[in-house]
Amino acid sequence: MPCVTIRGCRIGEGRPKTILPIVEKTEAEILARGAAFASLPVDCVEWRADWFDASADPDAVAHCLTGLRQALGEKLLLVTYRTKAEGGEKALSPIGYTEFCGWVCASGCADLLDLELFPAGETLPDLIKMAHQQGVRVVCSSHDFNKTPSQAEMVARLVQMQAAGADIAKLAVMPHSRADLLALLAATAEMADLHPETPVITISMGALGAVSRVCGEAMGSAMTFACAGKSSAPGQIELEEMNHILDALALPL
Ligand SMILES: O=C1C[C@@](O)(C(=O)O)C[C@@H](O)[C@@H]1O
């Protein structure tokens, strides 16, 4: 798998890189979480900006991002606006979504920007180009909180993200059976074996899917979302426990 290197962190190589989400409403709460997470053994912090009270105000977003960047030091910062349709807190018009992404990239504070495959639609390649021009890497994402699509459909979505120019392709789906969980894992292995152009992140959500969050090194998922207190999706495992499990499941060099 090719590796995406940011601030010395090699995403796509070895141990899956850990991510902690911030799901707070006010700048003060967001920055307090950022400062607390900066001292934890985690690789990346995700700011879920759809939770932010002032997410429609460009100055407030820029101010918060500047504070977060300072708080996080060398930890990677992933910025995500998860739209309601994909399981997030707020709906956003296509124009609002594009504007928000522009503010994040212009801030110079984000290492990674989450871009949703379906809402971005035809504008996705242009949004990716805009991010790249400003030195921001793109995690393209797709979520299904209701079901697990077929293996072929999951692979097709991830390949579509790669073709659009994403640096990392991500899929989170909901299982209802062991077969669903196996389909997600099989799609992950298929990507690693047959489409290794970019690292991928794959998640089967909820308790049934939780094993998918810890087996990335063996199966081919490059990053994993954990939690420290508040979680941002069902099935996330506490960071401390996650670190123990990832160590125990490490492959020999
Ligand atoms: O896309 C994802 C993955 C996620 O939904 C999870 O299942 O861990 C958590 C979200 O915060 C993140 O943006």
Side-chain angles (χ1 to χ4, degrees), residues 59-100:
D59 294 335
V61 169
H63 197 264
C64 195
L65 277 168
T66 304
L68 255 185
R69 181 73 272 162
Q70 276 168 7
L72 291 180
E74 282 303 297
K75 301 267 190 227
L76 304 190
L77 174 57
L78 162 66
V79 179
T80 299
Y81 195 110
R82 180 70 57 245
T83 60
K84 190 111 188 151
E86 302 246 342
E89 278 301 290
K90 284 184 230 142
L92 200 57
S93 68
I95 290 176
Y97 190 77
T98 301
E99 279 177 355
F100 176 82

Side-chain angles (χ1 to χ4, degrees), residues 14-36:
R15 193 184 200 269
K17 304 306 177 287
T18 49
I19 308 173
L20 280 180
I22 296 179
V23 282
E24 303 291 350
K25 291 189 170 168
T26 66
E27 180 181 300
E29 290 165 340
I30 291 161
L31 298 189
R33 282 276 165 187

Side-chain angles (χ1 to χ4, degrees), residues 187-206:
T188 310
E190 186 177 335
M191 288 304 295
D193 291 339
L194 302 182
H195 305 284
E197 291 80 1
T198 71
V200 301
I201 306 170
T202 58
I203 303 149
S204 183
M205 291 184 282

Side-chain angles (χ1 to χ4, degrees), residues 6 77-79 101-102 104-115 127-139 165 167:
I6 312 174
L77 174 57
L78 162 66
V79 179
C101 294
V104 172
C105 292
S107 75
C109 296
D111 297 302
L112 291 152
L113 173 67
D114 183 296
L115 285 176
L127 283 176
I128 293 176
K129 246 182 245 149
M130 182 267 296
H132 285 168
Q133 276 163 4
Q134 295 177 84
V136 180
R137 311 293 178 91
V138 171
V139 179
D167 298 281

